[in-house]
């Protein structure tokens, strides 16, 4: 088979697509062009320097994995930055930058194999028993206090974090439990505390780990018959940060081992920092004895930031990225994206990307488009297949039955509901909905939508179906 830049890149793309959020894929990968393949170096063209930096910062790992799969371990990636000069000069401006070389190379054109940099994240599970091993903290330096902006929504948690960082293990905030919904900064704050402690107390062993990884390590240790080594490893840590402890729900073995580790650390004046997406009272399937330990110290909540804080977070982010943007645009975005900081950042980033890719100036109108799409996309991206599955499950039939030609009333109703929700939750046309739900025409779909409307205002039982299904589909 012929291997071309395009075919290699297509394979990479399908791998990447499976592994990242659809919105991110659209924003950062669809605009890329594969331009050249020579030996094992693939050149890709990106629309701006910002774009290139973003890829390097966020996607270098997945790019590396994808490319290595395609071209072997000596795979190289070369970026070509192509931007139109917006000030009348027709000459496109091209800059070639080899991957993972930021800062070091600007004018030279040296290819550095991806292999050389960015080693795999080191597993903190250093072979136990060997005591003097240096433990990698697994902390992300970009998540520090300086860029964790303070507002009413996070004041308590942030200041408690600072207090803990000043005196790890020496305050009554032990454990410090940071809780709050997704994208509100739990992980960022947890890293910030760790980083600050490392700076103030370089001799202390700090370890950040997600509850998920912790669980995995524990399971491995049981398999390999070295559960005790696992426990000992964690008992020598001075500051243990476990992210997303709600993940331990229902995992009694891991909870048990964590209980022992926790007690040991606590008794020895070591600091424990936990994050969770729920308050301790709302955590389910976590053993009582562990829950009660969580409450020993301080539980501090992160709430959704208010408007002022959202504006400062955006300004700070833009400033750090070296991007200028009008205040009215920043305020527009801050006003419309309210629930979480991750989405807020996501929207501003797609805005920058859109504008650099389409070479459009960033205007309030562009912001409107982006915000609208962004809010819709992140809310839900349900497919017609998914809707059919949910509706069939709800009525305990299979999808084939739902699509069949039968005129049995309950099946017809299920089909009509599927059509109704497809119209409501997707952007598909009536014709396309019809062809996907049992090969019907657009008039049938239209009729279905009307019937559902009518029935839900006249038939109580039917209204309940609509409400239940709406809930199921809006998660
Ligand atoms: P969580 O762990 O609660 O889901 P994260 O810590 O991953 O949330 O935060 C999501 C994004 O929002 C991150 O990029 C983080 O840097 C940013 N963020 C959250 N809170 C703040 C804040 N107060 N100031 C600046 N950035 C923030
Ligand atoms: Mg997190």
């Amino acid at each position: 088979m012929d291997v071309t830049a395009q075919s290699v890149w297509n394979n990479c793309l399908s791998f990447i697509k499976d592994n990242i959020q659809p919105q991110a894929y659209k924003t950062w990968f669809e605009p890329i062009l594969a331009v050249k393949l020579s030996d094992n170096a693939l050149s890709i063209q990106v629309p701006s320097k910002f774009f290139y930096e973003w890829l390097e910062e966020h996607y270098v790992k997945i790019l590396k994995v994808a490319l290595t799969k395609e071209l072997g371990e000596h795979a190289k990636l070369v970026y070509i930055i192509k931007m139109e000069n917006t000030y009348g000069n027709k000459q496109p401006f091209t800059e070639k930058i080899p991957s993972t070389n930021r800062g070091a190379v600007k004018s030279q054109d040296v290819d550095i194999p991806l292999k050389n940099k960015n080693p795999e994240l080191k597993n903190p599970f250093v072979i136990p028993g060997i005591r003097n091993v240096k433990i990698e903290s697994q902390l992300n330096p970009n998540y520090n206090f300086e860029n964790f902006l303070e507002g009413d929504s996070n004041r308590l948690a942030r200041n408690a974090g600072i207090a803990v960082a000043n005196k790890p293990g020496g305050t009554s905030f032990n454990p410090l439990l940071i809780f709050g919904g997704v994208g509100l900064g739990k992980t960022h704050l947890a890293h910030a505390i760790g980083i600050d402690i490392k700076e103030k107390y370089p001799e202390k062993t700090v370890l950040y780990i997600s509850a998920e990884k912790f669980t995995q390590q524990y399971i491995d240790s049981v398999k390999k018959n070295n559960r005790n080594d696992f426990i000992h490893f964690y008992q020598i840590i001075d500051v243990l940060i476990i992210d997303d402890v709600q993940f331990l729900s229902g995992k009694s073995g891991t909870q048990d081992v964590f209980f022992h580790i926790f007690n040991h650390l606590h008794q020895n004046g070591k600091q424990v920092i936990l994050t969770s997406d729920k308050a301790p009272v709302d955590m389910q399937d976590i053993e009582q004895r562990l829950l009660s330990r969580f409450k020993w110290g301080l539980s501090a909540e992160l709430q959704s930031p208010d408007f002022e804080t959202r504006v400062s977070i955006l300004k700070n982010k833009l400033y750090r990225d070296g991007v200028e943007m009008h205040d009215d645009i920043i305020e527009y975005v801050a006003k419309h994206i309210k629930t979480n900081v991750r989405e807020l950042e996501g929207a501003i980033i797609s805005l920058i990307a859109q504008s650099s890719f389409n070479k459009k100036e960033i205007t309030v109108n562009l912001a409107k488009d982006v915000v609208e799409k962004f809010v819709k996309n992140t809310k839900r991206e349900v497919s017609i297949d998914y809707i059919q599955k949910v509706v069939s499950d709800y009525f305990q039939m299979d999808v084939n039955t739902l699509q069949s030609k039968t005129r049995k009333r309950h099946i017809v109703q299920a089909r009509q509901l599927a059509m109704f929700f497809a119209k409501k939750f997707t952007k598909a046309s009536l014709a396309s909905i019809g062809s996907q739900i049992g090969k019907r025409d657009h008039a049938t779909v239209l009729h279905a939508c009307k019937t559902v409307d009518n029935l839900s205002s006249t038939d109580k039982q039917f209204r309940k179906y609509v409400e239940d299904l709406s809930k199921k589909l809006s998660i």
Side-chain angles (χ1 to χ4, degrees):
M1 205 180 66
D2 237 2
V3 181
T4 61
Q6 195 59 51
S7 70
V8 167
W9 183 237
N10 284 346
N11 292 344
C12 291
L13 282 181
S14 64
F15 173 78
I16 291 169
K17 196 171 187 175
D18 283 342
N19 284 286
I20 68 173
Q21 296 287 327
Q23 175 68 30
Y25 178 82
K26 262 209 179 89
T27 307
W28 299 106
F29 290 92
E30 281 185 358
I32 297 176
L33 294 176
V35 285
K36 204 174 99 193
L37 180 69
S38 47
D39 299 331
N40 46 19
L42 177 71
S43 303
I44 58 172
Q45 181 179 312
V46 296
S48 71
K49 184 113 172 228
F50 173 81
F51 213 97
Y52 143 75
E53 286 176 354
W54 186 268
L55 288 171
E56 278 289 277
E57 192 164 327
H58 298 266
Y59 298 109
V60 74
K61 273 203 202 103
I62 193 159
L63 278 165
K64 180 188 157 179
V65 174
L67 214 60
T68 311
K69 267 172 56 153
E70 292 306 307
L71 299 174
E73 60 169 341
H74 298 293
K76 291 177 198 171
L77 182 64
V78 176
Y79 293 93
I80 298 174
I81 300 175
K82 184 159 188 177
M83 18 189 197
E84 305 284 339
N85 188 329
T86 36
Y87 302 104
N89 185 348
K90 286 279 150 56
Q91 194 72 2
F93 166 69
T94 316
E95 189 178 358
K96 265 187 169 183
I97 306 184
S99 172
T100 330
N101 230 355
R102 207 170 335 142
V105 177
K106 282 269 159 56
S107 47
Q108 298 158 272
D109 190 17
V110 197
D111 291 348
I112 301 238
L114 280 161
K115 199 171 140 234
N116 283 358
K117 235 196 128 186
N118 228 315
E120 302 291 311
L121 255 191
K122 288 209 185 65
N123 190 331
F125 193 81
V126 185
I127 305 160
I130 309 171
R131 280 304 162 84
N132 293 331
V133 188
K134 199 169 163 298
I135 294 167
E136 291 275 332
S137 289
Q138 313 291 322
L139 292 165
N140 177 348
N142 295 321
Y143 283 165
N144 50 43
F145 272 122
E146 207 183 317
N147 60 25
F148 189 80
L149 298 195
E150 183 169 322
D152 288 344
S153 54
N154 62 33
R155 188 159 288 119
L156 171 68
R158 187 175 188 277
N159 285 299
I162 293 173
V164 164
N166 287 335
K167 254 177 122 185
T171 66
S172 52
F173 307 154
N174 199 13
L176 173 62
L177 172 73
I178 302 160
F179 71 94
V182 287
L184 293 180
K186 301 180 295 291
T187 298
H188 186 143
L189 184 55
H191 278 274
I193 300 170
I195 286 167
D196 207 31
I197 295 177
K198 267 305 252 193
E199 266 165 28
K200 294 191 169 114
Y201 304 92
E203 76 291 351
K204 285 205 191 291
T205 312
V206 179
L207 180 68
Y208 166 91
I209 187 156
S210 66
E212 187 174 359
K213 207 160 171 192
F214 179 85
T215 305
Q216 196 51 54
Q217 290 180 359
Y218 170 66
I219 294 169
D220 289 348
S221 81
V222 172
K223 268 193 211 139
K224 292 191 190 125
N225 224 346
N226 53 13
R227 182 176 180 270
N228 284 342
D229 291 340
F230 172 85
I231 297 174
H232 289 147
F233 170 80
Y234 276 95
Q235 287 179 341
I236 60 166
I237 284 162
D238 297 314
V239 177
L240 178 61
I241 306 170
I242 303 206
D243 203 356
D244 290 320
V245 288
Q246 77 278 357
F247 187 82
L248 302 180
S249 287
K251 303 189 172 64
S252 55
T254 317
Q255 285 181 32
D256 186 54
V257 80
F258 179 58
F259 180 75
H260 290 293
I261 292 168
F262 179 92
N263 285 340
H264 182 95
L265 294 177
H266 199 269
Q267 275 159 20
N268 288 285
K270 306 300 174 66
Q271 180 72 45
V272 178
I273 298 156
L274 308 167
T275 80
S276 164
D277 67 357
K278 290 183 196 68
V281 285
D282 298 324
M283 287 187 204
Q284 275 161 11
D285 297 318
I286 300 263
E287 279 179 56
Q288 209 45 48
R289 56 179 186 164
L290 202 52
L291 271 186
S292 85
R293 298 289 185 287
F294 289 177
K295 295 180 202 155
W296 278 359
L298 175 74
S299 304
E301 182 172 9
L302 289 178
Q303 291 165 331
S304 300
D306 55 28
F307 177 72
E308 307 293 311
T309 314
R310 298 200 294 274
V311 170
S312 352
I313 290 175
L314 286 180
K315 287 195 170 160
N316 183 263
K317 166 135 195 71
L318 290 167
Y319 174 77
R320 278 183 288 125
D321 287 344
V323 179
E324 279 181 28
M325 203 177 278
H326 272 296
D327 280 0
D328 47 353
I329 294 166
I330 297 175
E331 281 164 18
Y332 182 87
V333 175
K335 194 164 152 210
H336 288 85
I337 299 195
K338 301 182 195 147
T339 46
N340 90 45
V341 184
R342 188 174 299 140
E343 279 184 13
L344 195 63
E345 289 186 345
I348 210 88
I349 288 155
S350 6
L351 188 55
I352 299 169
Q354 286 275 341
S355 105
S356 73
F357 178 56
N358 298 324
K359 294 161 203 93
K360 277 193 211 154
E361 207 191 317
I362 303 182
T363 59
V364 173
N365 273 339
L366 182 61
K368 248 182 210 157
D369 283 357
V370 168
V371 165
E372 206 169 272
K373 279 194 202 104
F374 201 84
V375 172
K376 261 191 217 140
N377 279 333
T378 50
K379 253 200 190 139
R380 68 175 86 82
E381 224 165 307
V382 287
S383 65
I384 296 181
D385 281 346
Y386 178 71
I387 292 172
Q388 297 188 73
K389 170 109 186 34
V390 170
V391 175
S392 335
D393 284 354
Y394 180 77
F395 290 110
Q396 290 165 8
M397 58 179 75
D398 56 16
V399 176
N400 287 335
T401 313
L402 179 132
Q403 293 182 342
S404 67
K405 301 279 174 212
T406 173
R407 293 185 173 276
K408 282 198 187 114
R409 202 170 96 100
H410 73 286
I411 299 172
V412 173
Q413 281 193 347
R415 188 162 57 235
Q416 290 178 327
L417 280 161
M419 290 173 172
F420 169 82
F421 284 113
K423 181 71 196 135
K424 186 163 166 196
F425 286 150
T426 73
K427 291 188 203 101
S429 65
L430 293 172
S432 138
I433 293 171
S435 83
Q436 290 180 68
I437 306 185
K439 302 210 167 50
R440 307 303 208 280
D441 63 10
H442 82 279
T444 311
V445 180
L446 193 60
H447 175 70
C449 295
K450 284 191 186 142
T451 310
V452 171
D453 271 338
N454 287 339
L455 282 178
S456 36
S457 53
T458 52
D459 178 338
K460 221 169 135 203
Q461 177 60 48
F462 196 83
R463 180 156 62 235
K464 171 98 172 46
Y465 295 156
V466 175
E467 284 166 5
D468 285 354
L469 286 165
S470 289
K471 273 197 211 118
K472 283 188 198 298
L473 289 165
S474 336
I475 297 167

